[in-house]
Amino acid sequence: MSFSIADLFTQHFDEKFDLHEHYLNNQMVRVLRTIGYDRNYKKAIGQYLYDEDGNEYLDLLSGFGVFAMGRNHPTIIKALQETLTLELPSLVQMDVSLLSGLLAKEILATCPDNLEKMFFCNSGTEAVEAAIKFARYTTKRSRIVHCDHGYHGLTMGSLSLTGEHIFREGFGPLLPECTSVPFNDLAALEQALSSKDVAAFIVEPIQGKGVNIPDDNYLPEVERLCKKYGTLFVADEIQTGIGRTGKFWAIEHWGVKPDMILMAKALSGGFIPVGGVAMTTHIMDTVFNRMDRAVVHGSTFSKNNMAMAAGLSALHVVHEEKLVENSAKVGEDIIATINAMAPKYEFLKEARGKGSMIAIEFHAPKSLGLKAAWAMLEAANKGLFCQMILIPLFKEHRVLAQVAGHGMNVVKFLPPLTLTQKDRDWIVNSVEKTIADTHNVTGSIWTLGKNLAGHALKNKK
């Protein structure tokens, strides 16, 4: 009997939620059903998802930034199909592969000129783990400094650098000698570095949780302070890199040269997980300093041909389709258009971001009626107002998005970099209609708000 994935999909299409309830994380199923996100998607092309009834959804989540080139891009599919049919030797281990060498060369051509070596792994969190080890070995120091509210992954070392309490709770003790400082606070950073025992400062150029953008002098001063105190400056570009912010690397907005750049997500082309660390020759040659240390750090599946082909074809698409430029242009337009709405809507504080990394922040209104409604939601669960934006966006306008973090009134858009003028209009019109509806406290959207508050209070008990 032949094996067919297509047949499995046809036979079991309606079973996915039941399967997850029985064999996987049933809490995720509960969440999706509670907020009405339990759709059966049947197809995905570019920035669009399609359910079993043929309804089209605009995906502003893009798999947490994985689908920067859109879903199922034909160029990437062709590259992967070709790689499969060539019968190439992969993961020989006692060998080096051609495709990994070519991908390393392509990536380093996009990096600051001080970065001349690449290390490949399978994910963003693995890239962070590698950076921790490389920094400690290179500097002969053990302490790592990171930022409050930062996000660097969920494996043990990366989790030790992740500032959100909800991710850390109950998993300790975490990695020792990890120190947190406020983001965008140079005085606090210098105080932490001045002891001259810090191996690395690992920082997102723009924080993903909240889409927090630093002052213009922050990263240049970070670079200066790290050099002054002998600390390696590590830019976590796992989410911000490869065109996301309207530059190939987010650090280009500030013209800095870190000692390492961490990458993953979009490098996969949306198909095969791949992560990487771009670094100075000094770091590479210090860690891998003898023949008997040639395999002192690595990963079984890193540099596999499928992952490298995905990376090479993904970079080709980014350059060929000018996705970095499109990200900058469309993102800037969306941010400016939403900000222009602020005088009309009391709940709307601001839109911010760079390129296609966009946040919309809400705050307490001034008028009494709206203020009371806001207070009800905040008392039930801080940040709950965002669900009054996200759920109608999804159910009524078929726009899929997310909150920017726990306990904050910030909605985040992380779309594919392929958005068109039609998509831009879809977004701003949907956002305005949804925000306008929240200002009618007798409308159906506040019935949703009361139900959300009720659920939140029940879960607190």
Side-chain angles (χ1 to χ4, degrees):
M1 179 186 252
S2 62
F3 177 78
S4 168
I5 292 291
D7 288 347
L8 286 176
F9 264 97
T10 301
Q11 294 164 17
H12 303 284
F13 182 73
D14 294 326
E15 299 174 26
K16 70 173 186 179
F17 291 109
D18 290 337
L19 288 168
H20 276 254
E21 273 201 316
H22 283 92
Y23 305 114
L24 290 152
N25 181 357
N26 68 313
Q27 296 298 336
M28 190 63 198
V29 176
R30 289 184 64 194
V31 168
L32 293 172
R33 285 178 169 158
T34 298
I35 62 177
Y37 277 42
D38 50 337
R39 299 291 191 272
N40 280 321
Y41 297 112
K42 199 167 188 177
K43 186 172 70 171
I45 300 173
Q47 54 270 46
Y48 309 115
L49 298 166
Y50 299 88
D51 67 19
E52 58 190 330
D53 297 321
N55 295 310
E56 183 178 75
Y57 297 77
L58 182 57
D59 178 13
L60 304 187
L61 183 56
S62 67
F64 300 137
V66 167
F67 297 99
M69 299 97 211
R71 295 174 185 267
N72 296 312
H73 196 288
T75 298
I76 302 171
I77 289 175
K78 182 174 180 292
L80 295 175
Q81 289 173 331
E82 191 175 15
T83 304
L84 284 170
T85 57
L86 284 173
E87 298 184 346
L88 298 171
S90 188
L91 300 177
V92 176
Q93 307 300 8
M94 294 304 291
D95 189 22
V96 292
S97 72
L98 173 62
L99 294 184
S100 60
L102 292 172
L103 181 57
K105 181 180 179 182
E106 288 287 324
I107 291 172
L108 291 169
T110 70
C111 293
D113 58 11
N114 63 316
L115 304 182
E116 299 178 316
K117 295 286 186 176
M118 277 298 303
F119 171 85
F120 286 115
C121 51
N122 303 298
S123 66
T125 195
E126 283 191 25
V128 175
E129 298 282 354
I132 293 170
K133 290 179 68 176
F134 294 171
R136 284 181 162 183
Y137 196 87
T138 298
T139 63
K140 304 300 184 281
R141 299 173 176 182
S142 55
R143 199 149 69 97
I144 307 292
V145 174
H146 59 101
C147 286
D148 297 344
H149 306 297
Y151 183 89
H152 299 284
L154 299 178
T155 53
M156 194 57 75
S158 304
L159 182 61
S160 303
L161 311 182
T162 291
E164 295 287 335
H165 176 71
I166 192 167
F167 293 119
R168 298 162 62 97
E169 184 180 5
F171 293 112
L174 300 176
L175 199 66
E177 298 189 82
C178 294
T179 303
S180 177
V181 297
F183 182 69
N184 204 31
D185 187 332
L186 291 168
L189 178 62
E190 181 159 23
Q191 185 177 6
L193 300 185
S194 62
S195 58
K196 296 187 177 181
D197 64 349
V198 177
F201 176 51
I202 301 182
V203 62
E204 302 158 278
I206 299 171
Q207 285 193 319
K209 299 297 181 184
V211 189
N212 301 315
I213 302 172
D215 294 338
D216 285 343
N217 71 326
Y218 179 65
L219 289 176
E221 281 297 293
V222 165
E223 182 181 4
R224 183 186 69 81
L225 289 172
C226 285
K227 287 178 180 176
K228 178 179 178 180
Y229 294 110
T231 296
L232 297 180
F233 169 24
V234 181
D236 181 341
E237 294 255 20
I238 291 162
Q239 185 172 126
T240 57
I242 314 182
R244 169 60 54 196
T245 70
K247 299 283 188 184
F248 194 90
W249 302 111
I251 55 168
E252 294 173 33
H253 291 288
W254 298 281
V256 294
K257 294 183 177 183
D259 299 289
M260 289 186 253
I261 294 177
L262 314 183
M263 65 198 74
K265 290 191 184 292
L267 189 60
S268 69
F271 286 96
I272 314 295
V274 55
V277 182
M279 71 191 85
T280 64
T281 299
H282 172 68
I283 295 171
M284 176 67 80
D285 289 351
T286 301
V287 175
F288 300 96
N289 60 346
R290 303 188 307 264
M291 283 193 289
D292 64 325
R293 288 180 57 83
V295 292
V296 74
H297 185 71
S299 178
T300 301
F301 289 99
S302 68
K303 302 189 294 293
N304 72 81
N305 283 335
M306 291 294 285
M308 300 298 99
L312 284 164
S313 55
L315 293 183
H316 174 83
V317 169
V318 168
H319 295 307
E320 191 75 9
E321 299 185 7
K322 296 183 170 27
L323 295 187
V324 179
E325 295 85 347
N326 193 62
S327 173
K329 179 183 175 183
V330 178
E332 182 180 349
D333 186 356
I334 291 170
I335 292 168
T337 304
I338 294 173
N339 272 325
M341 301 175 192
K344 292 193 288 184
Y345 303 114
E346 290 186 54
F347 285 124
L348 177 57
K349 180 180 179 181
E350 67 169 355
R352 62 175 177 269
K354 287 189 181 293
S356 298
M357 188 174 185
I358 300 168
I360 307 173
E361 184 167 359
F362 301 91
H363 63 172
K366 293 181 180 179
S367 60
L368 289 177
L370 295 179
K371 188 182 291 186
W374 173 274
M376 173 194 71
L377 291 176
E378 286 291 283
N381 195 350
K382 186 173 173 55
L384 195 57
F385 181 85
C386 283
Q387 296 303 332
M388 286 183 50
I389 300 294
L390 291 168
I391 293 173
L393 270 181
F394 182 72
K395 286 186 171 182
E396 297 175 21
H397 303 281
R398 300 195 184 113
V399 174
L400 176 64
Q402 64 173 334
V403 294
H406 292 91
M408 62 178 70
N409 285 294
V410 183
V411 167
K412 180 178 177 181
F413 295 162
L414 208 67
L417 311 184
T418 53
L419 294 182
T420 64
Q421 184 65 32
K422 182 196 90 169
D423 301 326
R424 174 264 181 212
D425 294 344
W426 186 349
I427 292 165
V428 298
N429 292 336
S430 300
V431 166
E432 178 156 29
K433 176 65 167 63
T434 304
I435 294 174
D437 287 346
T438 64
H439 288 71
N440 177 12
V441 293
T442 62
S444 60
I445 199 167
W446 277 101
T447 302
L448 168 64
K450 290 172 186 175
N451 289 336
L452 289 170
H455 279 294
L457 290 169
K458 184 179 178 181
N459 289 334
K460 280 185 176 181
K461 294 178 181 178

